[in-house]
């Protein structure tokens, strides 16, 4: 059996109310060959105090000046000793099979560059909202239609993570993961292993209701700029650029509708999405966005 060790990097910022549960869930793994690297991105709450109560030599805590998630993840990756790195969010929860299933997948797939496991989504009370575990063997083609991946479920071989870090552009924060998945998908297969090993907790701090329109639209534009500057992305996905833009506009329309911005703004983006790729009007995503606009 290959000698595989895992580094679980947890970037965090002001998640004192969540992170203890996250770390403790990761400490319950059936597979013991892993470390947990918590990178505190300049928290102003009592995150450090909360983590001080966790006594495990598997956990290391590192506080740095705030520079957003991309920089925190990269910082943790540079500290990692593992063969593979898993970037886990500080408000989510792992099941005890998380590391073990990653090992099974990596051995079965002959130590690929990137794998993605299944996950579910729950509300803060633990009610199951949906499961995400029906991916094709590789998800590269589907990624152009939107970010279907959970950071918690992605494992990247350390040499690949070193070569392709997250963007540290603050203005891209919250989309830096999608940008990286597309860059990786332009170069390597992203293999899927459809076993659920983690939960995304859909709590109020993740709400889109407080979205800042100017920053949100700026982030969407910077995402496009990052990808258009990548030759490998253009070679693989350039012929489907209108598809990418169309789904991006649906994503914008949905978020503006959910945040209760004037309906005309969402309608304009849906109209543009349909002009770019008329087929999208038949998709569930388009209909979901339209439904939110009309309520």
């Amino acid at each position: 059996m290959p000698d595989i060790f895992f580094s679980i990097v947890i970037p965090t910022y002001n998640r004192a109310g969540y992170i203890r549960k996250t770390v403790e869930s990761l400490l319950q793994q059936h597979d013991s060959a892993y470390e947990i690297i918590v990178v505190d991105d300049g928290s102003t709450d009592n995150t450090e105090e909360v983590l001080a109560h966790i006594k495990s030599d598997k956990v290391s805590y590192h506080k740095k000046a705030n520079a957003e998630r991309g920089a925190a993840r990269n910082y943790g990756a540079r500290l990692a000793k593992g063969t593979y790195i898993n970037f886990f969010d500080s408000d989510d929860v792992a099941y005890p099979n998380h590391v073990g299933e990653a090992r099974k997948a990596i051995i079965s797939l002959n130590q690929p560059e990137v794998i993605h496991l299944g996950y579910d989504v729950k509300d803060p009370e633990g009610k199951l909202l949906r499961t995400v575990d029906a991916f094709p063997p590789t998800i590269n083609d589907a990624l152009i239609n939107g970010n279907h991946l959970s950071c918690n479920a992605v494992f990247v071989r350390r040499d690949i993570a070193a070569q392709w870090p997250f963007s540290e552009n603050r203005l891209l924060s919250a989309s830096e993961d999608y940008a990286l998945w597309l860059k990786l998908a332009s170069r390597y297969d992203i293999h899927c292993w459809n076993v659920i090993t983690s939960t995304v907790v859909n709590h109020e701090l993740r709400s889109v209701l407080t979205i800042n329109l100017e920053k949100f639209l700026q982030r969407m534009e910077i995402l496009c700029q990052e990808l258009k500057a990548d030759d490998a992305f253009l070679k693989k996905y350039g012929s489907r650029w209108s598809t990418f833009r169309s789904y991006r506009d649906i994503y914008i329309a949905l978020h503006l509708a959910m945040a209760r911005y004037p309906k005309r703004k969402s309608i304009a983006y849906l109209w543009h999405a349909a002009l770019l790729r008329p087929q999208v009007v038949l998709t569930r995503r388009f209909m979901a966005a339209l439904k939110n606009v009309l309520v």
Side-chain angles (χ1 to χ4, degrees):
M1 183 178 292
D3 184 18
I4 301 171
F5 186 75
F6 296 92
S7 294
I8 303 173
V9 174
I10 306 176
T12 189
Y13 177 74
N14 287 352
R15 288 292 190 264
Y18 297 92
I19 193 168
R20 182 166 185 167
K21 187 174 181 179
T22 299
V23 174
E24 288 180 342
S25 74
L26 287 163
L27 287 172
Q28 300 303 312
Q29 298 302 300
H30 298 318
D31 189 310
S32 61
Y34 66 96
E35 62 176 347
I36 299 172
I37 301 169
V38 179
V39 181
D40 187 338
D41 192 39
S43 292
T44 57
D45 63 5
N46 63 327
T47 291
E48 184 171 3
E49 179 185 348
V50 168
L51 289 173
H53 292 284
I54 297 177
K55 307 299 182 183
S56 172
D57 57 9
K58 286 189 176 298
V59 181
S60 61
Y61 172 82
H62 309 267
K63 189 162 187 176
K64 59 181 287 297
N66 178 266
E68 283 294 352
R69 279 170 287 193
R73 291 189 181 117
N74 292 340
Y75 186 95
R78 290 192 293 271
L79 297 172
K81 302 181 181 73
T83 323
Y84 281 81
I85 302 176
N86 174 217
F87 299 99
F88 210 93
D89 285 344
S90 63
D91 39 10
D92 294 330
V93 177
Y95 294 119
N97 65 338
H98 185 62
V99 173
E101 286 297 332
R103 182 182 300 279
K104 289 179 187 177
I106 288 163
I107 293 172
S108 176
L109 296 166
N110 195 25
Q111 302 193 53
E113 292 86 1
V114 191
I115 66 164
H116 182 268
L117 308 178
Y119 64 97
D120 60 32
V121 182
K122 295 180 178 179
D123 69 15
E125 286 70 49
K127 180 183 177 181
L128 180 65
L129 302 177
R130 68 180 187 275
T131 59
V132 188
D133 60 345
F135 292 120
T138 58
I139 197 172
N140 298 56
D141 286 344
L143 275 180
I144 200 70
N145 301 336
N147 186 9
H148 309 289
L149 307 186
S150 160
C151 264
N152 305 333
V154 175
F155 287 74
V156 184
R157 213 170 62 203
R158 188 175 61 172
D159 61 312
I160 301 302
Q163 187 177 358
W164 299 105
F166 290 91
S167 170
E168 297 189 9
N169 185 339
R170 279 182 174 273
L171 299 177
L172 187 61
S173 182
S175 291
E176 77 288 334
D177 55 343
Y178 186 31
L180 181 58
W181 308 154
L182 284 169
K183 290 178 182 179
L184 292 177
S186 301
R187 295 164 171 86
Y188 315 106
D189 284 337
I190 297 183
H191 298 269
C192 296
W193 188 262
N194 288 320
V195 178
I196 292 174
T197 70
S198 63
T199 291
V200 173
V201 181
N202 194 22
H203 57 76
E204 61 184 10
L205 295 179
R206 279 188 161 137
S207 173
V208 301
L209 300 180
T210 58
I211 191 172
N212 179 297
L213 178 59
E214 182 179 357
K215 289 183 178 179
F216 176 62
L217 295 180
Q218 185 179 44
R219 168 161 57 98
M220 292 296 98
E221 186 55 36
I222 290 171
L223 174 62
C224 289
Q225 293 172 9
E226 284 253 347
L227 295 173
K228 291 190 81 170
D230 188 288
D231 290 339
F233 172 85
L234 292 177
K235 183 177 180 180
K236 178 150 182 99
Y237 294 112
S239 63
R240 299 174 64 191
W241 182 250
S242 62
T243 299
F244 173 76
R245 287 292 302 271
S246 180
Y247 278 100
R248 186 205 71 157
D249 286 352
I250 295 172
Y251 178 83
I252 293 173
L254 175 60
H255 280 66
L256 296 186
M258 293 173 66
R260 298 294 180 259
Y261 278 92
K263 294 181 186 294
R264 58 183 173 78
K265 293 184 181 292
S266 292
I267 291 172
Y269 279 100
L270 288 177
W271 176 254
H272 190 245
L275 290 177
L276 285 168
R277 186 170 174 80
Q279 300 96 314
V280 299
V281 301
L282 302 176
T283 64
R284 292 175 62 184
R285 202 174 311 173
F286 186 93
M287 296 307 297
L290 183 60
K291 180 179 178 180
N292 274 275
V293 171
L294 297 178
V295 294

